[in-house]
Amino acid sequence: MEKFTTLTDTAVPLDIENVDTDQIIPARFLKATDKAGFGENLFRDWRFDKNDEPNPDFPLNNPNFSGSILVAGNNFGCGSSREHAAWAIKAYGFKVVVSSYFADIFKGNSLNNGLLPVQVNQEFLDEIFLALQKNSEEKITVDLENQEISIESTGASQHFDIDPYKKTCMINGFDDIDFLVSKWEAIKKYEENNKTTPTPVGV
Amino acid sequence: MKKTLFDKIWDSHIVESIPNGPDILYIDKHLIHEVTSPQAFNELKERDVPLFRPEQTVATADHNTPTENQHLPVKDLLSRKQLKELTQNCEENNITLYGLGHPYNGIVHVMAPELGITQPGMTIVCGDSHTSTHGAFGTIAFGIGTSQVAQVFASQCLLVEKPKKLRVNVNGKLKKGVLPKDVILYIISKLGTNSGTGYFCEYAGDVFESMSMEGRMTVCNMSIEMGARGGLIAPDQTTFDYVEGKEFAPKGEEFENLKAYWKTLKTDEGAEFDQEYSFDAEDIEPMITYGTNPGMGIKLNEAIPVEGTKSDAKALSYMGFQPGESLLEKPINYIFIGSCTNSRIEDFRTAAAYIKGKKKADNVNALIVPGSRQVAAQIQEEGLHTIFEEAGFTLRQPGCSACLAMNDDKIPAGEYCVSTSNRNFEGRQGQGSRTILASPLTAAATAIAGKLTDYTKMLN
Ligand code: SF4
């Protein structure tokens, strides 16, 4: 997994509340057997119309907006627990999603896949939307070490929360798999110690 | 400190506890199937990380598989591709696969217990929410997501927070015709589909103690439908008798030693639970669901509640039912006896005992799908297939079948299906299909009558 410390970039506003995972990646795209392709179908039914023509009103299709930060309305990622939603956002090229609330499972899935969910309060979220409205080139900085997000033009900033274990993982570019692989020795020792005890494992 | 059954198993599987973080939990057995494993295999390949303990991993093909002509190539191309990938992945990684047509093939939660892969005191995971089934053996078993499948591949461990503890007690004697499925549907209808969120549930009391292993599996299977991570029942003589002699169960002295340990796996007197509920067996009757979640259940001869929320109203309109309506005498055109909830030999014996000498109603399509090849063989051995055939039921080859609309077995839009599966969500059995969850006995009786009927009077 890529390391994440500080990111300063332009952002794409998605001023919609309750974006559910079915909108993020519609169910009909789930039969695939690898993760890479999901970016193409991110927000498929919003990005494209019935004839597969790009919908010009959708922010991801607006040439003024670009960058690796997605700023979305309240309660992002609700609905079905599919991990594919996080894969799709990541595969499209986003590294951070900012919202005033994330659905629990989506948050977990994102962190597991190197996509940083940054939860701010509603006022701060509105400030970001406003700044982006005024200037689509507005820069947002996400400083994971200090758990702080700021808007360049106004200097406004806010602290955000993250699970300390997950923070260490993101900063070191570690995910759960890397972490567990780093624990192989401890795991082998555990296996060894438990072979003959009254609590046999791995039998 | 006094410990619960759950604590005992969990604590003995902790490799390390991360301060302010999750536990590294050791996993004894990892079960995989074709739908949730391919991305996890790719994940490891991309990182060039080998499988840590392939010998503790067992694979089967069940979700996408057809239940007819299993000797022929699978017709659906996407399914065929998934199955092929599973075979390749298992070969490359030295994983035992009981694929389509293998004598041990079956629904993952049916085949593992009957092969003795599932044993008391273990931790078992699978990329499937109904992994809770294995809790029937006094096992910590739960479903995981694809990223977690990859974690277990890479380390035979999972990073997980210890859930809270819940106990559900049912004491007394069940009435005639009341089956384990009715018990769990009753519990969920009383507690609701979110009552178990954040918990692991232990089932205790006379009713579970006197239940067969098949029955306990039915109960634990549906723990997830009340939101719990999993459910479990303390192992006892019934458990030991079931496990003994099974293909992969320990034998001889090893078995005896293990049994001595398994006997210690029960909740200490006075151990504390975060939440506890108790019910009387006498209050339970055959149950059916009338809505689009498993918590919307009523007794067979009860009317649909008059008061409900907005989403209840939406569910009723999907089902085509009215508040206050009784579902008795409701014509039903489909019944399905199968799924990891009710596709074990006992379920088919119960159904056959009722059906014997009767014929299904003309309007009914009755589908019988064993949970595994072993169950299918037993059906033949015991001659149950003749009873089903003579009654006009269709007996298929094993698989998940009409439990989920992922293979060819689907219920048409608008049709009701009295089903022994575990989920009655909108479209679960096919777009627009309307599922009524029930026991195998209720399903069998419905098939004979052609409608929902109060058969309890007819039981001698
Ligand atoms: S039978 Fe149904 S619930 Fe059980 S594993 Fe198969 S699809 Fe899942």
Side-chain angles (χ1 to χ4, degrees):
Chain A
M1 212 170 84
E2 235 177 294
K3 287 186 188 182
F4 191 111
T5 44
T6 297
L7 173 75
T8 300
D9 201 357
T10 50
V12 181
L14 182 67
D15 196 357
I16 303 174
E17 295 195 343
N18 304 313
V19 174
D20 65 60
T21 52
D22 245 299
Q23 299 307 327
I24 298 174
I25 180 89
R28 62 182 186 281
F29 299 115
L30 302 186
K31 276 210 180 178
T33 49
D34 68 70
K35 287 185 190 179
F38 290 106
E40 274 166 49
N41 296 316
L42 175 67
F43 299 119
R44 182 79 205 186
D45 296 343
W46 283 347
R47 259 165 78 202
F48 298 92
D49 64 14
K50 281 190 216 85
N51 308 318
D52 269 340
E53 296 293 336
N55 166 11
D57 296 333
F58 191 63
L60 267 69
N61 295 334
N62 182 338
N64 294 329
F65 293 113
S66 66
S68 56
I69 300 173
L70 179 66
V71 186
N74 188 50
N75 195 24
F76 188 81
C78 53
S80 144
S81 64
R82 64 186 65 144
E83 199 168 321
H84 311 69
W87 298 344
I89 297 172
K90 188 81 201 297
Y92 185 85
F94 289 112
K95 294 182 178 141
V96 172
V97 190
V98 183
S99 176
S100 49
Y101 185 80
F102 292 96
D104 239 21
I105 296 184
F106 175 80
K107 200 190 216 166
N109 287 340
S110 301
L111 286 163
N112 252 341
N113 287 283
L115 177 69
L116 181 65
V118 174
Q119 190 168 321
V120 295
N121 65 23
Q122 191 60 44
E123 282 156 28
F124 194 80
L125 185 70
D126 291 340
E127 273 182 56
I128 304 179
F129 279 134
L130 192 68
L132 288 169
Q133 203 179 20
K134 282 194 190 145
N135 175 14
S136 63
E137 315 255 295
E138 177 69 76
K139 290 235 164 59
I140 310 285
T141 295
V142 176
D143 176 352
L144 178 56
E145 204 109 37
N146 296 306
Q147 296 179 226
E148 204 172 72
I149 174 168
S150 53
I151 308 171
E152 194 174 71
S153 66
T154 65
S157 72
Q158 190 163 79
H159 178 85
F160 62 87
D161 287 330
I162 181 169
D163 175 298
Y165 161 73
K166 287 292 175 191
K167 180 178 169 180
T168 320
C169 287
M170 295 280 295
I171 288 176
N172 295 309
F174 251 50
D175 63 8
D176 286 350
I177 297 180
D178 301 314
F179 178 79
L180 286 167
V181 167
S182 78
K183 290 284 177 187
W184 272 3
E185 282 318 307
I187 297 168
K188 283 180 189 159
K189 205 152 135 216
Y190 169 86
E191 287 177 328
E192 216 35 61
N193 290 341
N194 285 280
K195 276 235 163 76
T196 51
T197 63
T199 53
V201 297
V203 282
Chain B
M1 211 187 91
K2 298 193 175 2
K3 285 185 163 194
T4 65
L5 163 63
F6 178 78
D7 293 325
K8 289 180 186 179
I9 306 174
W10 184 278
D11 294 351
S12 71
H13 284 81
I14 296 177
V15 174
E16 232 174 70
S17 291
I18 300 166
N20 295 320
D23 289 335
I24 303 180
L25 189 76
Y26 192 83
I27 302 302
D28 293 320
K29 282 273 149 38
H30 187 194
L31 309 171
I32 62 168
H33 61 81
E34 76 277 21
V35 178
T36 50
S37 65
Q39 280 100 351
F41 278 113
N42 287 343
E43 186 75 53
L44 257 70
K45 222 180 282 174
E46 278 163 24
R47 293 166 194 249
D48 207 12
V49 171
L51 248 76
F52 189 69
R53 292 287 176 257
E55 65 280 8
Q56 281 162 241
T57 312
V58 180
T60 185
D62 53 6
H63 282 67
N64 261 343
T65 52
T67 56
E68 283 179 298
N69 295 321
Q70 290 187 349
H71 60 289
L72 297 178
V74 174
K75 272 190 250 155
D76 182 278
L77 287 183
L78 271 171
S79 304
R80 199 197 300 177
K81 181 163 174 272
Q82 266 189 344
L83 293 169
K84 204 177 109 202
E85 238 173 272
L86 179 71
T87 310
Q88 268 171 1
N89 283 325
C90 287
E91 271 169 17
E92 282 168 23
N93 294 284
N94 290 319
I95 293 171
T96 308
L97 164 68
Y98 300 127
L100 211 53
H102 190 284
Y104 293 164
N105 175 257
I107 305 174
V108 59
H109 313 310
V110 178
M111 55 73 81
E114 73 186 3
L115 286 171
I117 294 169
T118 305
Q119 293 164 28
M122 283 182 165
T123 47
I124 300 183
V125 296
C126 172
D128 184 282
S129 36
H130 294 95
T131 308
S132 58
T133 312
H134 308 263
F137 290 78
T139 304
I140 292 185
F142 54 94
I144 54 176
T146 301
S147 281
Q148 292 175 304
V149 171
Q151 289 174 33
V152 182
F153 278 164
S155 66
Q156 204 58 31
C157 286
L158 270 181
L159 282 162
V160 265
E161 307 262 357
K162 189 174 180 183
K164 289 183 288 181
K165 288 162 292 180
L166 161 73
R167 180 158 64 183
V168 173
N169 306 291
V170 186
N171 281 298
K173 200 168 173 297
L174 289 177
K175 289 185 198 161
K176 207 166 182 69
V178 175
L179 300 188
K181 181 65 164 285
D182 300 311
V183 175
I184 189 64
L185 283 174
Y186 178 85
I187 294 172
I188 301 170
S189 79
K190 291 292 171 199
L191 299 182
T193 49
N194 280 325
S195 55
T197 306
Y199 291 99
F200 224 91
C201 175
E202 178 177 344
Y203 300 95
D206 311 338
V207 163
F208 305 110
E209 281 165 28
S210 53
M211 231 177 232
S212 67
M213 287 316 293
E214 284 86 352
R216 293 179 191 183
M217 284 189 253
T218 301
V219 169
C220 289
N221 174 276
M222 290 193 72
S223 306
I224 183 87
E225 306 310 335
M226 57 175 171
R229 275 319 291 276
L232 78 178
I233 296 174
D236 58 10
Q237 197 56 44
T238 309
T239 322
F240 310 146
D241 291 345
Y242 180 97
V243 175
E244 187 165 16
K246 292 275 184 296
E247 181 76 28
F248 299 109
K251 307 268 148 53
E253 200 186 310
E254 202 195 337
F255 181 82
E256 291 308 318
N257 289 341
L258 269 174
K259 194 161 88 177
Y261 162 61
W262 292 344
K263 283 184 176 166
T264 68
L265 294 176
K266 48 177 161 244
T267 294
D268 297 333
E269 195 87 40
E272 292 209 7
F273 286 86
D274 299 290
Q275 183 67 263
E276 188 149 14
Y277 302 100
S278 294
F279 299 101
D280 282 330
E282 287 78 9
D283 292 340
I284 308 177
E285 278 176 39
M287 297 287 296
I288 48 171
T289 61
Y290 60 90
T292 53
N293 74 56
M296 299 176 80
I298 47 173
K299 293 172 179 170
L300 187 53
N301 51 24
E302 232 171 29
I304 294 173
V306 179
E307 304 214 338
T309 61
K310 239 200 198 145
S311 70
D312 290 347
K314 183 172 170 277
L316 282 188
S317 109
Y318 179 84
M319 293 299 290
F321 296 150
Q322 299 297 325
E325 186 182 359
S326 161
L327 298 185
L328 287 179
E329 306 303 309
K330 192 91 184 163
I332 304 288
N333 294 337
Y334 289 82
I335 71 109
F336 169 60
I337 305 183
S339 90
C340 58
T341 317
N342 285 114
S343 64
R344 299 181 180 83
I345 191 63
E346 184 179 281
D347 301 313
F348 299 113
R349 283 187 194 135
T350 308
Y354 184 90
I355 293 165
K356 192 169 185 177
K358 302 187 180 84
K359 278 229 169 346
K360 74 163 185 72
D362 290 338
N363 60 312
V364 175
N365 281 292
L367 193 60
I368 302 242
V369 186
S372 70
R373 293 273 291 214
Q374 294 216 65
V375 173
Q378 218 167 336
I379 286 177
Q380 302 284 332
E381 256 165 54
E382 298 184 15
L384 306 184
H385 63 296
T386 344
I387 299 176
F388 294 136
E389 273 154 28
E390 282 171 2
F393 285 58
T394 309
L395 178 62
R396 290 285 186 80
Q397 289 173 300
C400 292
S401 183
C403 172
L404 88 171
M406 203 171 198
N407 48 63
D408 302 333
D409 305 342
K410 294 187 179 75
I411 309 301
E415 291 287 356
Y416 294 110
C417 177
V418 172
S419 173
T420 66
S421 52
N422 44 46
R423 285 185 166 159
N424 52 351
F425 300 157
E426 283 188 23
R428 171 78 180 185
Q429 295 191 288
Q431 226 170 19
S433 64
R434 294 157 158 178
T435 305
I436 297 171
L437 299 176
S439 78
L441 188 53
T442 304
T446 305
I448 303 297
K451 57 191 180 183
L452 281 163
T453 167
D454 187 1
Y455 56 84
T456 49
K457 294 181 217 109
M458 289 176 269
L459 299 174
N460 42 27

